[in-house]
Amino acid sequence: MAELNLILLGPPGAGKGTQAERITEDFNLPYIATGNILRAAVAEGTPLGVKAKTFMDAGALVPDDVIIGVILERIASGDARDGFLLDGFPRTVPQAEALATEFEGLGRSLTAVLLIDVSDDEVVRRLSGRRVSAKTGRVYHIEFDPPKNEGVCDVDGSRLIQRDDDKPETIKKRLAVYHEQTEPLVAFYSELGILRRFDGARPPAEVHDHIRAQIATLRLEDRI
Ligand code: ADP
Ligand code: AMP
């Protein structure tokens, strides 16, 4: 069977991480989330983390030359050679072009780019109420998806924290960066005929049903 090489696209707070947890389980795919990779690097104080931190704190993108090599290497490694779910990359046209060139060289191709669409107002509501497990990164929302006990992860009891870049001023900056630098990828992948659009304003279970059905259809078409 062909590889399932999937990209999640959409503004910060669209629900990419929320859906990724479900999709990776449905299709047994490795999850590559650039934000998680960068936050781990910052926490560990690695050279990548040191380079990335100031950009992330400001709500800006980490420069292309810092991130591209790291992610392409990850995609070429072990478990991702047979398929993956990529979240947060590419985020600029040069990143998308670098991925296309790499894939052309390897004879690989992208299966689909899953765009989760939500309005700017909804992004602000979601990011300002987002809380994440300090240990596992599992995502909650104080209003839309609260934990059973306030401030504590349901799964492992670890403390829930607010991400540094989920503060109001940084949220606005990240949204502007999305519209300016990442949204052009919608046209980029649309022209390649691999963009699939989902209404991210629906409840998480509904968004998940639509995405899962779409991927199942793509798989079926591939077999025929
Ligand atoms: P992203 O990975 O795209 O930045 P997240 O998956 O972290 O977004 O979701 C952002 C916030 O919105 C989280 O607090 C999450 O619980 C909440 N959320 C995710 N999907 C939905 C949804 N469909 N409806 C309401 N809230 C949602
Ligand atoms: P995320 O967890 O996807 O919201 O990403 C958090 C932050 O990490 C972003 O605001 C950027 O500063 C940085 N980041 C994540 N992915 C990329 C990328 N592909 N290119 C540049 N910066 C990125």
Side-chain angles (χ1 to χ4, degrees):
M1 188 185 301
E3 297 166 11
L4 205 48
N5 297 328
L6 301 171
I7 290 177
L8 277 170
L9 187 64
K16 300 183 296 296
T18 301
Q19 295 304 323
E21 198 182 315
R22 298 162 155 91
I23 302 166
T24 49
E25 209 177 296
D26 293 337
F27 298 98
N28 195 23
L29 292 170
Y31 177 43
I32 304 173
T34 50
N36 291 353
I37 291 171
L38 290 170
R39 276 184 292 279
V42 169
E44 285 165 26
T46 66
L48 171 66
V50 172
K51 279 187 218 155
K53 187 176 182 335
T54 40
F55 297 100
M56 295 172 77
D57 286 347
L61 294 184
V62 173
D64 287 338
D65 62 339
V66 173
I67 192 85
I68 288 174
V70 174
I71 301 305
L72 293 187
E73 203 175 295
R74 175 71 185 82
I75 295 172
S77 76
D79 62 347
R81 266 180 296 189
D82 299 328
F84 54 79
L85 180 66
L86 199 48
D87 172 358
F89 185 95
R91 230 160 163 129
T92 64
V93 171
Q95 290 180 16
E97 287 169 345
L99 179 62
T101 305
E102 169 90 355
F103 264 33
E104 216 172 273
L106 295 171
R108 296 180 74 175
S109 59
L110 291 173
T111 313
V113 175
L114 314 167
L115 170 66
I116 306 184
D117 243 347
V118 295
S119 68
D120 286 8
D121 285 349
E122 183 65 14
V123 164
V124 174
R125 266 194 295 278
R126 287 190 187 177
L127 292 187
S128 32
R130 173 161 68 183
R131 298 292 181 270
V132 294
S133 155
K135 212 157 122 197
T136 65
R138 195 194 180 285
V139 179
Y140 296 85
H141 191 283
I142 50 173
E143 195 184 331
F144 308 135
D145 182 18
K148 289 193 188 86
N149 298 303
E150 200 185 319
V152 179
C153 179
D154 294 348
V155 182
D156 63 3
S158 60
R159 197 168 52 92
L160 299 185
I161 55 165
Q162 184 170 33
R163 269 171 53 172
D164 285 340
D165 58 354
D166 280 348
K167 306 279 154 66
E169 328 74 65
T170 323
I171 291 173
K172 288 212 178 72
K173 165 80 179 162
R174 287 162 67 205
L175 256 174
V177 166
Y178 173 77
H179 289 306
E180 220 172 87
Q181 300 192 54
T182 307
E183 212 166 24
L185 295 181
V186 174
F188 183 97
Y189 287 120
S190 197
E191 277 158 28
L192 292 177
I194 55 172
L195 189 86
R196 300 286 179 275
R197 207 180 269 269
F198 301 91
D199 179 4
R202 318 294 306 169
E206 243 179 78
V207 180
H208 174 225
D209 284 347
H210 290 143
I211 294 178
R212 192 182 42 195
Q214 177 66 249
I215 298 172
T217 307
L218 288 170
R219 279 205 132 165
L220 212 59
E221 285 169 0
D222 184 61
R223 258 184 234 157
I224 291 166

